[in-house]
Amino acid sequence: LVPFDDTSKIVVCPYGRLYHKEFIVEALLTRKKTKDTRLAHIRGLKDLHDLRFHTVASSQEDGKLVPACPIRGTELNGQIPALALVPGNPENTNVISERALTELGEETILGEFGPATGRIKILPLPEELEEIKKQHAERMLKKKDKKKRKRAEEDDKKEATKRSISESQSSTMAPSKPQSKVLKSLFTPKLVESDKDKVDNLFART
């Protein structure tokens, strides 16, 4: 659990781990050099979600503000199961206790704090984390397969378009069929008869 600081942005990754945004962005930019495998499950900023906490005065009477459930008022100190609603309403908190969701129901919670396309368990227990990792890997595999299918469909469309253009060009360049004798005679200039031929023809007919 990162030390809470209400002046810094805190983000959550798909595994429910919390990071100060400034530090995690720097770590992602340098991970190729550092070869830090702990961040292998984070593809980039799209896998990090901003958290907006409701805060209350600490029960320790030290004057500090601490994260709390906006519904039950319970301090979210890492011991109380909590959920991040992502992306949530940007004008409202998006971290609640798991118990609040159970008591009020998803429809009521999302009506107040949504919209949300997913829920991320914050700081899950080790046994919970294993299941979360498995589900995350399955989702990533489905997304990868979907991208492959989409790319293949686009390639097929491009290939079909190329074939269509090629066939169209071939048909326009094909040699025309030979004309019939009748048509040919219409377009073939007749020989001009000489005066002698006219006379010969005249006597031939009489």
Side-chain angles (χ1 to χ4, degrees), residues 14 18 30 39 48 50 55 61 66 70-72 89 99 115 122 135 139 144 162 167 177 182 188 198 201:
L18 305 184
T30 59
L39 304 178
L48 298 173
D50 290 338
T55 58
E61 298 183 355
V66 295
I71 298 168
R72 307 190 76 256
N89 184 343
R99 186 172 177 180
I122 295 177
Q135 292 175 357
R139 284 195 300 271
K144 191 175 181 180
K162 286 181 180 179
E167 290 171 0
K177 295 181 179 180
V182 175
T188 303
K198 290 180 180 178
N201 289 334

Side-chain angles (χ1 to χ4, degrees), residues 22-177:
E22 180 182 352
F23 298 137
I24 187 61
V25 169
E26 184 179 351
L28 290 174
L29 291 174
T30 59
R31 63 179 169 181
K32 286 186 178 180
K33 289 184 179 179
T34 59
K35 297 181 180 179
D36 192 343
T37 58
R38 292 175 299 177
L39 304 178
H41 65 290
I42 302 176
R43 296 169 298 173
L45 293 178
K46 61 184 176 182
D47 283 338
L48 298 173
H49 303 279
D50 290 338
L51 296 183
R52 297 177 295 279
F53 291 98
H54 173 70
T55 58
V56 296
S58 172
S59 58
Q60 302 298 321
E61 298 183 355
D62 52 10
K64 293 182 179 180
L65 294 177
V66 295
C69 175
I71 298 168
R72 307 190 76 256
T74 310
E75 290 186 20
L76 302 178
N77 53 14
Q79 303 301 316
I80 303 296
L83 298 169
L85 305 175
V86 295
N89 184 343
E91 303 299 325
N92 208 342
T93 179
N94 65 339
V95 181
I96 63 172
S97 67
E98 211 170 43
R99 186 172 177 180
L101 179 65
T102 302
E103 290 177 347
L104 296 183
E106 185 172 331
E107 185 176 353
T108 301
I109 291 294
L110 293 183
E112 177 68 22
F113 303 101
T117 57
R119 301 196 300 261
I120 298 177
K121 179 73 176 284
I122 295 177
L123 302 174
L125 297 172
E127 57 270 23
E128 293 175 323
L129 181 57
E130 290 305 312
E131 181 61 26
I132 289 171
K133 286 182 176 180
K134 181 181 177 181
Q135 292 175 357
H136 179 67
E138 290 174 352
R139 284 195 300 271
M140 291 301 100
L141 185 60
K142 286 182 180 179
K143 285 184 178 180
K144 191 175 181 180
D145 290 341
K146 187 177 179 180
K147 284 183 178 180
K148 282 184 177 180
R149 288 196 300 271
K150 186 176 180 181
R151 194 179 298 116
E153 289 174 0
E154 289 174 351
D155 291 342
D156 289 342
K157 287 181 181 179
K158 288 179 181 179
E159 188 62 31
T161 302
K162 286 181 180 179
R163 285 197 302 268
S164 178
I165 293 173
S166 178
E167 290 171 0
S168 177
Q169 291 175 341
S170 298
S171 63
T172 56
M173 295 175 64
S176 58
K177 295 181 179 180

